[in-house]
Amino acid sequence: MEHIVIVGNGIAGVTLARHIRKKSDAKITIVSSENEYFFSRTALMYVFMGHMKFEHTQSYENDFWKKNKINLLQGLVTTVLTASKEIVLSNNDTIKFDKLVLATGSKPNKYGWPGQDLKGVTGLYHKKDLENLEEWAPQTKRAVIVGGGLIGIELAEMLRSRDIPVTFLVREKTFWGSVLPFGESQMINRHILEHHIDLRLGTNLVEILSDEKGHVKGIVTDKGETIDCEIVGLTAGVSPNIDFLKDSGIELNKGVKVNRYLETNIADIYAIGDCAEQHEGIDLRRPIEAVWYTGRMMGETLAQTLTGNPTEYKPGHWFNSAKFLDIEYQTYGWVWANPKENEVHFYWEHHKGKKAIRISFDKESRTFLGINTFGIRMRHAFFDKVLTDKQTVDFVISHLKDANFDPEFFTSYESEIQKQFADQFVGVKKT
Ligand SMILES: Cc1cc2nc3c(=O)[nH]c(=O)nc-3n(C[C@H](O)[C@H](O)[C@H](O)COP(=O)(O)OP(=O)(O)OC[C@H]3O[C@@H](n4cnc5c(N)ncnc54)[C@H](O)[C@@H]3O)c2cc1C
């Protein structure tokens, strides 16, 4: 019987295993080091904030795996021997495979800062990070977070939920300025400050200082300031967790290089999820996509291929969602921080500064290209269809009611948005 070995029990690896099992009796083994069972990484913050217990982040009963004949092995893979089709674990056990799937996820970036390995310094990625934060939080008078993206703001919210003062160092001049256009980025800056987070824009970490016991006692910024703190959160992005593959002969760049079928350069070895890197990004997507739903889609897609139905990975239209403290964010299609030459942006912000919409469209054809929403929850299916049908911005503006979930939306905001759009853009076909 064919043996499929999957390294990593995150969303990518377990989705793959479940979908193979639906169609095949192959022997399946998942080897993963962090935790015996799959859990939702995106829910870690809610465990720290006391909204749920860690057990509730596990979406399957523990006996699910046995019932579905998916063998789980907790262990760290240190080597892949491609010629003999074996993996080696840190305890020197070896496992033979017919097919191997690498689904090893990401790790937080560390840029060689002095002191980055001290006690009290952590990323926010692994279960262990949460356990460390639990241990250190009670003794913490201030935390410093380095890196202004989605994970940094989550960590700030977590620490503030325990009344720990937080200083937030953001290299850019405005929060998540490489992704968010200026208007929304400014809105989030204000929101962060309202939450009593000490936001330092345009500020870099230079060094992390140690006390005599090897624990963090402060940091130094590139403005020459020393800030006393007991926790340093490093949230300057993530990168694929693939160091153990360096000498394997599997083609690597930042991630494990794969083609559209998620195959590596070595026959019968595949990669999915955060650790996979497309040779070229699909459509306008990045070659590496460290997001939950693409890991799930890659798992579903590869399951087809491994059960006799070779299938290309086609992720469809880009979308993403996140939360900036109390403000929910969604994005569908492409809205760049700065419009490209053929693009125009329409931006509406509610006067209270907690809701906003930005729509990007083509200035010649008026084709809708993408939308960012803040504090307004939109319908995925609506925008998926609009993008597929290549509808115009005028269609979207006149169908805002169908696009959003909020029954109060029309009376509260829709007419204001439509009026502003009409004032700015109706009749303006070309610039
Ligand atoms: C705090 C946080 C919040 C997030 N919020 C969102 C969100 O709101 N929306 C969104 O789309 N995405 C979010 N993400 C990203 C999302 O969680 C990841 O894209 C997703 O979990 C990646 O899944 P994966 O299966 O590729 O890898 P992972 O979930 O990283 O799983 C890989 C597993 O493989 C194990 N492993 C690695 N190397 C080895 C080895 N050599 N041997 C054995 N085991 C190994 C790892 O320990 C890990 O458990 C968030 C991430 C974090 C950290």
Side-chain angles (χ1 to χ4, degrees):
M1 188 193 291
E2 184 174 59
H3 189 194
I4 301 174
V5 174
I6 301 167
V7 187
N9 69 358
I11 184 65
V14 301
T15 304
L16 171 69
R18 288 194 306 108
H19 284 260
I20 294 174
R21 182 51 79 235
K22 285 184 188 175
K23 295 183 69 188
S24 149
D25 288 330
K27 181 176 173 192
I28 304 173
T29 303
I30 307 182
V31 187
S32 204
S33 53
E34 185 180 2
N35 194 48
E36 189 177 0
Y37 299 107
F38 164 65
F39 66 93
S40 169
R41 203 169 289 295
T42 58
L44 282 179
M45 71 181 291
Y46 301 106
V47 176
F48 187 85
M49 297 200 301
H51 301 184
M52 61 190 335
K53 294 204 163 120
F54 180 76
E55 300 82 82
H56 302 146
T57 66
Q58 295 181 181
S59 347
Y60 302 96
E61 299 290 333
N62 291 351
D63 62 358
F64 171 89
W65 308 100
K66 206 172 211 167
K67 275 192 201 153
N68 286 281
K69 291 190 281 165
I70 297 170
N71 308 310
L72 300 184
L73 181 68
Q74 195 169 0
L76 180 71
V77 178
T78 53
T79 311
V80 174
L81 301 170
T82 57
S84 57
K85 292 189 135 182
E86 288 172 289
I87 56 170
V88 184
L89 275 62
S90 57
N91 62 3
N92 290 327
D93 281 358
T94 57
I95 301 174
K96 283 257 185 205
F97 62 84
D98 297 300
K99 302 250 159 69
L100 177 69
V101 182
L102 303 162
T104 54
S106 301
K107 56 179 176 9
N109 288 334
K110 288 182 170 182
Y111 289 107
W113 291 293
Q116 66 182 17
D117 295 319
L118 290 169
K119 269 186 252 146
V121 182
T122 184
L124 175 62
Y125 193 90
H126 294 109
K127 184 180 173 216
K128 181 75 182 136
D129 300 335
L130 201 73
E131 290 162 1
N132 284 339
L133 285 166
E134 281 291 352
E135 185 190 329
W136 300 330
Q139 296 81 257
T140 298
K141 294 195 211 69
R142 174 167 294 275
V144 173
I145 296 173
V146 182
L150 297 178
I151 295 184
I153 200 162
E154 283 194 0
L155 182 55
E157 182 175 359
M158 287 161 61
L159 294 163
R160 290 299 300 131
S161 76
R162 303 230 180 146
D163 285 331
I164 296 172
V166 171
T167 296
F168 195 4
L169 306 189
V170 174
R171 186 181 54 181
E172 291 79 20
K173 294 211 161 53
T174 182
F175 177 79
W176 216 28
S178 56
V179 177
L180 294 183
F182 190 70
E184 324 41 340
S185 177
Q186 292 287 303
M187 182 173 85
I188 303 300
N189 290 342
R190 291 193 298 272
H191 192 60
I192 292 171
L193 291 168
E194 280 164 19
H195 278 256
H196 307 290
I197 294 165
D198 172 27
L199 178 65
R200 307 288 184 95
L201 296 170
T203 306
N204 287 291
L205 173 68
V206 172
E207 185 181 356
I208 305 171
L209 305 172
S210 174
D211 68 10
E212 60 288 350
K213 290 187 183 145
H215 198 288
V216 171
K217 70 165 187 183
I219 60 113
V220 181
T221 74
D222 62 351
K223 305 275 187 297
E225 188 181 359
T226 299
I227 301 172
D228 294 341
C229 61
E230 293 75 26
I231 289 179
V232 175
L234 299 180
T235 58
V238 296
S239 43
N241 197 358
I242 56 164
D243 292 347
F244 72 109
L245 297 171
K246 245 186 262 157
D247 302 319
S248 65
I250 299 168
E251 188 185 354
L252 308 175
N253 184 37
K254 282 188 182 153
V256 181
K257 295 285 250 175
V258 291
N259 62 17
R260 297 289 201 253
Y261 290 86
L262 304 163
E263 299 164 322
T264 69
N265 61 318
I266 309 272
D268 296 328
I269 301 186
Y270 307 80
I272 56 175
D274 277 23
C275 73
E277 176 176 347
Q278 286 285 326
H279 290 287
E280 275 167 31
I282 300 174
D283 302 327
L284 299 175
R285 288 166 176 261
R286 293 181 179 178
I288 299 173
E289 295 188 300
V291 282
W292 184 263
Y293 77 91
T294 52
R296 196 179 55 217
M297 285 171 98
M298 287 187 225
E300 287 166 3
T301 306
L302 185 59
Q304 292 292 324
T305 300
L306 296 187
T307 53
N309 176 28
T311 303
E312 260 187 66
Y313 171 57
K314 288 187 182 158
H317 301 297
W318 170 251
F319 72 92
N320 202 3
S321 63
K323 207 163 72 60
F324 303 111
L325 302 159
D326 307 325
I327 299 182
E328 278 188 62
Y329 156 70
Q330 291 180 324
T331 186
Y332 299 97
W334 298 110
V335 182
W336 307 110
N338 296 302
K340 300 194 171 174
E341 214 173 284
N342 63 318
E343 295 171 1
V344 185
H345 281 185
F346 165 67
Y347 183 62
W348 168 85
E349 188 178 309
H350 187 246
H351 65 92
K352 288 193 178 150
K354 300 280 184 271
K355 294 183 194 294
I357 286 182
R358 180 179 298 269
I359 298 178
S360 171
F361 61 99
D362 186 280
K363 63 174 146 182
E364 295 292 328
S365 63
R366 296 177 78 90
T367 306
F368 170 84
L369 300 173
I371 185 166
N372 284 346
T373 65
F374 295 79
I376 298 167
R377 199 178 280 182
M378 294 290 183
R379 292 181 192 275
H380 183 158
F382 176 88
F383 285 108
D384 213 44
K385 184 154 170 34
V386 161
L387 287 162
T388 300
D389 295 349
K390 298 191 171 32
Q391 292 283 9
T392 61
V393 63
D394 307 280
F395 176 90
V396 171
I397 292 285
S398 60
H399 286 80
L400 282 176
K401 197 170 176 200
D402 306 326
N404 83 92
F405 277 105
D406 179 1
E408 299 292 308
F409 185 80
F410 184 78
T411 42
S412 315
Y413 320 111
E414 188 176 349
S415 47
E416 186 184 323
I417 295 168
Q418 287 172 336
K419 182 171 180 317
Q420 187 182 320
F421 181 79
D423 290 348
Q424 271 177 263
F425 294 110
V426 171
V428 184
K429 292 233 182 224
K430 291 184 183 175
T431 53

